Amino acid sequence: TLEKGDPYGSVLWPAASAVANHLMSTGTNGDDRDIGQQTLLELGTGTGLVALAAAQAGYGKVIATDYETVPLKLLEYSAAKLNGDEDLNARIETAKLDICDFDTPLPDADIVCAADIMYE
C-alpha cells in the first residue's frame, strides 16, 4: 500500500522530460567513459522518468532519490512492470533523501541529475 504524500511526484515537470530526452538521445554524459560503468544519481525523482531513461540509456547503476516514499514505490513498480520484458530494477536503486537535510551526505555517483526540484 502507498501512503498519502506530496502530489509533486505525480506531475511530469518540463525539465524532467528534457533531461530524460537528453539522456536517451545522447547515451553519454559528455566524456569518453563508458556509461555502463557509471552511476547516475537523481535528486528528486518524482515520476521517475529521468531514472527510467538513465537505466534505458545504459547507465550501469541509477540511484533515484526523493523525500517521499510514494514516488519511490511508484518508480520501483514502473521499473519492474512497465518496460516490456526488462526489469529495470536491476539497475535502479531507490533511496529516501531530503536534499534540505545538510547532515546527510549524497550517495556516491559519477553524475548527478536534478530536474525541477526547487519549485517553492
Side-chain angles (χ1 to χ4, degrees):
T1 36
L2 295 174
E3 306 157 14
K4 289 183 180 179
D6 187 331
Y8 294 109
S10 63
V11 176
L12 179 56
W13 299 101
S17 181
V19 172
N21 204 8
H22 175 74
L23 291 172
M24 292 297 294
S25 66
T26 62
T28 180
N29 66 7
D31 64 25
D32 294 331
R33 295 179 293 161
D34 177 16
I35 64 171
Q37 303 300 314
Q38 294 186 24
T39 298
L40 180 137
L41 170 63
E42 182 188 13
L43 302 176
T45 197
T47 62
L49 179 64
V50 171
L52 292 167
Q56 285 281 0
Y59 277 87
K61 181 178 180 182
V62 178
I63 305 170
T65 67
D66 208 287
Y67 74 105
E68 292 281 351
T69 57
V70 172
L72 300 175
K73 289 180 182 180
L74 291 172
L75 173 56
E76 290 167 358
Y77 178 85
S78 297
K81 307 287 186 188
L82 303 178
N83 290 287
D85 294 334
E86 185 176 11
D87 182 353
L88 294 178
N89 279 317
R91 279 186 273 156
I92 297 175
E93 173 186 317
T94 60
K96 192 168 181 183
L97 177 73
D98 183 350
I99 62 169
C100 294
D101 176 3
F102 300 121
D103 294 326
T104 303
L106 295 178
D108 287 335
D110 298 295
I111 189 168
V112 178
C113 285
D116 284 323
I117 59 170
M118 304 306 245
Y119 46 80
E120 289 187 62

